[in-house]
Amino acid sequence: FHFVGGARFVHGGAMPQEICVPVLTIKQVRGKETKAKPVTVHVLGSQHRITTGTCRFNLLQMEPVGERLKPITLKVGIYEGGEAVSNIQTVKFDSETSNLEERKKWVTLTLTGKSFDKKKNYRLVLTDAESGIEQQSVEVIIDRAVQDDF
């Protein structure tokens, strides 16, 4: 390289890091299957406040079902401690599309006829129907002005 003023710089030559391209080969051991995990599901929105006897929640399947992701069936309900205070809906998430809008599902829950206190802790719980493992829990506030007498 020539510079103004007569200074010269000479490159020392090509280094191995400049000319070598690393190549990786990955082989799956025969007979050993890779485990497919279930897709994840999230409850959309925040500050869930219930003011009527029925309530709707929007659930989103985060990834499409594929080779390494399997479908999941969830039981969705509202709980006070370990006791259900709503009906329990079973929802299957098995969408293979990459479009987020097509992976959303609405769940409608109906509260039981008991009285509710808006200061108590209630949770919307998503539980795996096969294993019984809790996948997600979201705090909800039940603030009903009028209780059903029917």
Side-chain angles (χ1 to χ4, degrees), residues 6-80:
R8 289 186 178 199
F9 173 77
V10 178
H11 191 272
M15 300 286 294
Q17 296 92 331
E18 296 173 336
I19 59 172
C20 291
V21 177
V23 177
L24 297 176
T25 303
I26 300 173
K27 292 183 180 179
Q28 182 174 344
V29 179
R30 290 184 190 245
K32 294 210 176 189
E33 299 272 330
T34 57
K35 286 189 176 182
K37 66 175 190 159
V39 294
T40 55
V41 177
H42 288 292
V43 180
L44 295 179
S46 62
Q47 293 292 331
H48 299 283
R49 181 177 295 272
I50 301 170
T51 57
T52 62
T54 59
C55 47
R56 288 180 54 172
F57 296 97
N58 198 357
L59 305 178
L60 173 64
Q61 176 184 329
M62 298 303 289
E63 315 94 0
V65 172
E67 185 178 315
R68 297 194 185 258
L69 294 167
K70 65 180 184 178
I72 189 168
T73 303
L74 296 176
K75 291 186 177 183
V76 182
I78 300 173
Y79 291 85
E80 177 185 4

Side-chain angles (χ1 to χ4, degrees), residues 84-145:
V85 295
S86 73
N87 64 326
I88 297 175
Q89 293 280 345
T90 303
V91 185
K92 185 168 186 169
F93 293 92
D94 58 356
S95 177
E96 296 177 356
T97 182
S98 59
N99 186 355
L100 278 174
E101 289 299 318
E102 294 177 13
R103 293 196 313 248
K104 289 181 183 178
K105 291 194 179 186
W106 286 96
V107 175
T108 303
L109 299 174
T110 305
L111 297 175
T112 58
K114 68 178 265 181
S115 60
F116 297 98
D117 183 8
K118 67 179 177 180
K119 294 182 179 155
K120 283 189 177 178
N121 292 329
Y122 299 98
R123 298 177 307 124
L124 173 69
V125 179
L126 284 70
T127 308
D128 189 341
E130 292 178 14
S131 66
I133 297 173
E134 184 178 302
Q135 298 295 319
Q136 188 182 13
S137 175
V138 177
E139 187 174 315
V140 295
I141 299 168
I142 301 177
D143 186 14
R144 296 181 63 191

